Amino acid sequence: MSDRVKEVVPDLIYAIRSTLKKHGVTFEEYGAAMQYLIRVQETGEAPLFVDAFFNATIVEIDNETRKGTQADIQGPYYLNSEAYQIISERLPHRPIDENAQDMVIRGQITDTDGNPLAGAELDIWHSTPDGLYSGVHDGIDAKYCRGRVITDAQGRYSVKSKLPVPYQIPNQGPTGELLEQHLGRHSWRPAHIHFWVRADGRRDLINQAYFENGEWVGDDCCETDHLDLVVPELIENGARVMEVSFALDPVLVVAAE
Ligand code: DHB
Ligand code: FE
C-alpha cells in the first residue's frame, strides 16, 4: 500500500493545487472549504460524501478489467453476510407491505463463455416499498427485503419480493447541500435492486438492476451511468418481473512482481 500512496497521493495533491491556482482561490474561500470538510466530519457524513462523489469512479476502474457483467456501486446498506438467510421462494417483507406491488427477480448466472454456474450465491437487498432499508432505517428488522439465493443445476434462480421505489440519499447535511445547492444536482437514486454474486473460481460481482422507464434512471445522484442492467418492463400475473442474468469473470490473477 505505501508504494501506491507514494504513486497516487502526490498526483492528487498536485491536481488540487493546480485547480486552486486555475481559479485564483482566496484565503476566504480556502477557509470556507476547510469549514465544509470539518462539517462533513462532524456530521458523520464522510462515508456518504466519498460514496456520493467518488465510488462510481472506482467502479469504473474495476470494470475496465471485466469482460462479463459490469459492476455497480455497493451502496452503504449491505450490512454483513450474517444478515442474509438462504431463501427458496420469497424475500421476507413487513406485514404492512402485504398489499404492495409484487415483484419476481429471476435469471441465470453463467461464466463469460455462457456456461451455467450451479451453486452460485446471490445476496439480494433492496428498499421497502416506502423507500427504507431494513437494519438501517426506522428500526425495521434486518431480515426484511434481504436474502441469499443459490442457483440450480442450470445456474438459474428465482425469488419473489415487493417492488422498491426511488430512494433519496440523506440530503439534510453538507453532502446534500453541495449536491443540491452548489452543484445544481439532486439527491435521488432510481429504484434499484442490489446484488452481490459469488461463485467458486469467479470474481465477485456487486451490482444493481434498475427498472426501465423508472424515474431517475440515467440521472442518478450517485452517477451510476453505465447502467448495464436496466431491465425491460415485463408483468406476469400482476407481478413486475426483473430478469437479471450475470456473466461472471474468472478470478483476477494479479501478476507477481
Ligand atoms: C446510498 C443509498 C443507497 O441505497 C445506494 O444504493 C447508494 C447510496 C446513500 O445513501 O448514499
Ligand atoms: Fe440502494
Side-chain angles (χ1 to χ4, degrees):
M1 192 61 154
S2 71
D3 286 349
R4 292 285 288 157
V5 170
K6 283 185 206 137
E7 264 173 41
V8 177
V9 174
D11 271 1
L12 199 55
I13 292 173
Y14 179 79
I16 294 171
R17 283 182 186 153
S18 58
T19 305
L20 299 178
K21 280 189 192 161
K22 178 177 156 193
H23 295 284
V25 169
T26 65
F27 278 120
E28 196 186 356
E29 289 162 343
Y30 171 69
M34 197 187 311
Q35 288 308 316
Y36 179 83
L37 289 178
I38 291 168
R39 270 205 296 137
V40 170
Q41 169 63 18
E42 287 178 348
T43 52
E45 282 200 2
L48 179 65
F49 179 85
V50 289
D51 258 21
F53 293 105
F54 303 112
N55 196 346
T57 305
I58 307 297
V59 170
E60 264 177 56
I61 297 164
D62 182 78
N63 278 333
E64 286 170 9
T65 53
R66 285 182 192 272
K67 294 193 175 61
T69 306
Q70 299 280 284
D72 201 341
I73 61 172
Q74 180 178 332
Y77 302 142
Y78 174 71
L79 303 182
N80 52 42
S81 182
E82 285 76 54
Y84 295 80
Q85 304 293 321
I86 293 182
I87 302 290
S88 54
E89 199 190 342
R90 179 177 268 291
L91 303 190
H93 58 259
R94 298 173 300 181
I96 55 165
D97 296 328
E98 186 55 33
N99 295 321
Q101 164 83 53
D102 284 312
M103 167 172 72
V104 174
I105 313 166
R106 69 183 184 212
Q108 189 184 29
I109 304 184
T110 63
D111 65 17
T112 36
D113 296 320
N115 302 306
L117 296 172
E121 268 181 17
L122 290 98
D123 287 353
I124 301 177
W125 71 106
H126 59 77
S127 81
T128 60
D130 52 352
L132 303 170
Y133 276 87
S134 70
V136 178
H137 301 123
D138 285 3
I140 302 170
D141 193 292
K143 69 175 182 272
Y144 295 124
C145 303
R146 295 178 193 275
R148 176 169 295 168
V149 291
I150 312 283
T151 57
D152 67 14
Q154 283 76 45
R156 296 196 172 276
Y157 73 95
S158 179
V159 68
K160 294 179 188 145
S161 194
K162 295 287 184 183
L163 208 67
V165 288
Y167 175 82
Q168 188 169 31
I169 70 170
N171 70 336
Q172 297 305 307
T175 308
E177 179 186 307
L178 188 56
L179 275 173
E180 294 179 1
Q181 292 173 32
H182 304 299
L183 300 178
R185 304 238 321 270
H186 59 77
S187 48
W188 287 91
R189 302 212 59 224
H192 57 276
I193 304 166
H194 294 269
F195 299 89
W196 187 329
V197 192
R198 305 180 186 87
D200 285 346
R202 298 278 129 191
R203 188 162 158 193
D204 275 24
L205 178 67
I206 295 173
N207 70 4
Q208 301 184 28
Y210 304 91
F211 298 77
E212 189 175 59
N213 301 323
E215 203 179 355
W216 310 111
V217 170
D219 182 23
D220 185 345
C221 67
C222 291
E223 297 186 51
T224 56
D225 55 8
H226 50 280
L227 297 179
D228 210 25
L229 297 176
V230 179
V231 180
E233 206 159 347
L234 171 66
I235 308 282
E236 271 180 22
N237 306 320
R240 173 72 151 96
V241 177
M242 291 294 277
E243 285 265 0
V244 192
S245 292
F246 306 90
L248 300 188
D249 280 271
V251 167
L252 197 59
V253 179
V254 182
E257 303 241 326

